[in-house]
Amino acid sequence: MNRSQFIKNISITAIGTLILSKIGFAKSIQMSTSVIKNIIPLGFPWETQDPFLFCAYHRDEYPKGNANMGLDFEQLKGRNVGSDFTLKDGWRMYHGSNIPGFPYHPHRGFETITINKEGVVDHSDSLGATGRFMAGDVQWMTAGKGIQHSEMFPLINQNKANPLEIFQIWLNLPKASKMVEPHFKMLWNEDIPLVNHKDDSGNITSIQVIAGRIKDTNALEPTPDSWASNSQNAVGVYTVKMEANANWTLPKTSLEANRSIFFYKGNEIKIEENTISQNNIIELEANADVEIQNGNQEAYFLILEGKPIEEPVAQHGPFVMNTQEEIRQTMKDYGKTQFGGWPWSETEVVHPRNKGRFALHSNGKEEIK
């Protein structure tokens, strides 16, 4: 199955029914003799290239929370509670009933990378691990042979709004790693390398290096069985903020890599002689330096790149394998074992309001920030 077919056919329980762009002009613009290969309007989810499966971007302007870190009945009127993906009043409940988020659900055969830019995410899983991470933090989870987890967005502020901004990225695993032991780790904001580039006019571009390498700056280690754990696979995950009128050059990477820039906030940028507005994906040649000239507003990007796995993709909801037979076996396995079951009394697990940032791993190790 090719990337386009996968995106069209994908269905998911973890983030609800995906609404693909129905804009009539949402066809890629083919570029020739250029560092730019394609320009594609952003939809939902964002279309990605192998080794990535997709990326969902969430921006929700949640109001003040109630005593239970959720929303009151009156605020939920008119919503499809349990599967609310309508951006009503600037926010969505997703699969949450009182607290927004994604109650427990299974995964097998790939990895999730959750990048938090604003707000609170509470994690719990079937291995007994829990955690809370906030702005600037990243959770990297290898589902491997199977895990259940929940990702809830508690509204911890009772006296002010609770805005949330996160990216949920699915990174595929090769066949050899699809049945590894599940594992998650936290990349804490203060530990993630940040590159601040000042151009000749003194304008700053800030790059958060989540995976990969920018010049001489290397990212933290990913999970051990990740496709990103081998540097030869040239996996890069970067979030970028450019000041108005800033210039920055994205350095080249492996000739074999796929590379996408997701321009999700700002006005316009210029690459070569092409002026590109926000809400577009720019697919680039990977083995070339790419000079980006920003316009008169701050610009924000997510950059995903990496050598493709180039294996068949068979996908059913939250399961990603290589064949339909493996998908059927996965569904049998989940029905039989529930991937360890759910050790929590609630399906929508949230932690105490004043808990702060932490990660409690299944081996008992706890990180407190």
Side-chain angles (χ1 to χ4, degrees):
M1 181 183 293
N2 63 35
R3 172 168 60 92
S4 178
Q5 290 171 323
F6 176 77
I7 290 295
K8 288 179 181 177
N9 294 340
I10 192 169
S11 64
I12 181 175
T13 58
I15 63 166
T17 302
L18 302 177
I19 304 170
L20 298 180
S21 174
K22 297 184 183 299
I23 301 173
F25 57 84
K27 295 181 179 179
S28 63
I29 301 171
Q30 301 292 324
M31 311 297 291
S32 60
T33 63
S34 170
V35 70
I36 300 176
K37 297 167 68 175
N38 293 310
I39 300 175
I40 307 167
L42 285 173
F44 185 83
W46 293 351
E47 184 174 346
T48 57
Q49 301 184 80
D50 189 359
F52 298 94
L53 297 166
F54 80 86
C55 174
Y57 171 68
H58 305 278
R59 177 72 202 187
D60 292 280
E61 305 293 341
Y62 291 117
K64 299 175 183 177
N66 61 22
N68 297 315
M69 295 180 285
L71 293 147
D72 295 325
F73 177 76
E74 289 296 320
Q75 294 171 293
L76 298 177
K77 277 187 176 180
R79 292 183 177 272
N80 184 24
V81 175
S83 187
D84 173 29
F85 283 74
T86 301
L87 194 62
K88 181 176 179 288
D89 300 324
W91 51 273
R92 296 153 285 206
M93 287 296 290
Y94 302 106
H95 291 315
S97 57
N98 300 109
I99 298 171
F102 301 100
Y104 79 105
H105 54 274
H107 290 304
R108 172 181 274 186
F110 64 100
E111 301 188 277
T112 63
I113 304 171
T114 305
I115 303 171
N116 189 338
K117 287 298 183 184
E118 189 172 13
V120 179
V121 178
D122 278 1
H123 165 89
S124 303
D125 66 41
S126 55
L127 302 180
T130 60
R132 168 172 288 173
F133 56 104
M134 299 185 184
D137 299 329
V138 176
Q139 186 203 61
W140 195 311
M141 187 183 79
T142 302
K145 69 180 185 180
I147 192 171
Q148 294 193 71
H149 77 148
S150 71
E151 294 171 292
M152 303 304 297
F153 313 139
L155 308 183
I156 65 173
N157 299 319
Q158 289 183 277
N159 57 356
K160 62 180 181 179
N162 291 272
L164 176 84
E165 185 174 61
I166 66 170
F167 304 92
Q168 291 183 309
I169 302 164
W170 284 16
L171 173 61
N172 203 6
L173 286 168
K175 183 178 181 65
S177 302
K178 284 193 177 293
M179 296 297 285
V180 297
E181 291 295 325
H183 181 89
F184 94 89
K185 71 181 300 182
M186 290 303 309
L187 310 180
W188 299 108
N189 178 40
E190 52 267 48
D191 300 327
I192 297 173
L194 183 68
V195 175
N196 287 309
H197 169 78
K198 182 182 290 188
D199 64 22
D200 292 340
S201 299
N203 299 313
I204 303 295
T205 297
S206 298
I207 308 101
Q208 189 184 36
V209 185
I210 297 165
R213 177 188 178 97
I214 294 291
K215 299 284 187 163
D216 296 325
T217 301
N218 292 299
L220 301 171
E221 289 293 324
T223 51
D225 294 300
S226 175
W227 183 247
S229 64
N230 183 346
S231 62
Q232 297 300 309
N233 294 329
V235 174
V237 178
Y238 316 109
T239 62
V240 180
K241 174 186 174 182
M242 297 185 75
E243 292 183 347
N245 303 309
N247 288 322
W248 173 62
T249 298
L250 171 63
K252 64 184 178 182
T253 185
S254 169
L255 174 65
E256 299 174 273
N258 290 320
R259 169 177 273 183
S260 298
I261 294 179
F262 302 85
F263 181 20
Y264 65 95
K265 189 187 300 183
N267 182 18
E268 62 183 28
I269 58 173
K270 195 170 186 179
I271 299 177
E272 295 176 328
E273 298 304 314
N274 303 284
T275 300
I276 304 162
S277 60
Q278 67 163 334
N279 293 325
N280 276 295
I281 306 167
I282 307 109
E283 295 183 347
L284 300 164
E285 296 288 351
N287 191 34
D289 294 338
V290 181
E291 183 180 358
I292 303 170
Q293 302 173 50
N294 190 23
N296 59 8
Q297 296 180 19
E298 288 183 343
Y300 295 81
F301 317 125
L302 172 71
I303 300 175
L304 300 179
E305 60 189 23
K307 181 180 176 181
I309 295 173
E310 295 183 331
E311 291 180 356
V313 172
Q315 183 271 339
H316 180 80
F319 307 136
V320 181
M321 303 300 287
N322 294 108
T323 68
Q324 288 300 321
E325 176 57 35
E326 290 170 344
I327 289 291
R328 287 189 287 271
Q329 185 61 51
T330 294
M331 295 173 72
K332 290 178 184 177
D333 292 346
Y334 179 62
K336 187 182 299 183
T337 70
Q338 298 293 294
F339 295 161
W342 190 245
W344 315 101
S345 58
E346 304 88 8
T347 61
E348 305 178 9
V349 182
V350 295
H351 310 309
R353 186 189 305 275
N354 61 354
K355 178 65 175 175
R357 299 155 65 218
F358 79 100
L360 177 62
H361 297 269
S362 58
N363 63 3
K365 177 185 175 182
E366 186 170 19
E367 303 173 69
I368 299 175
K369 293 292 180 178

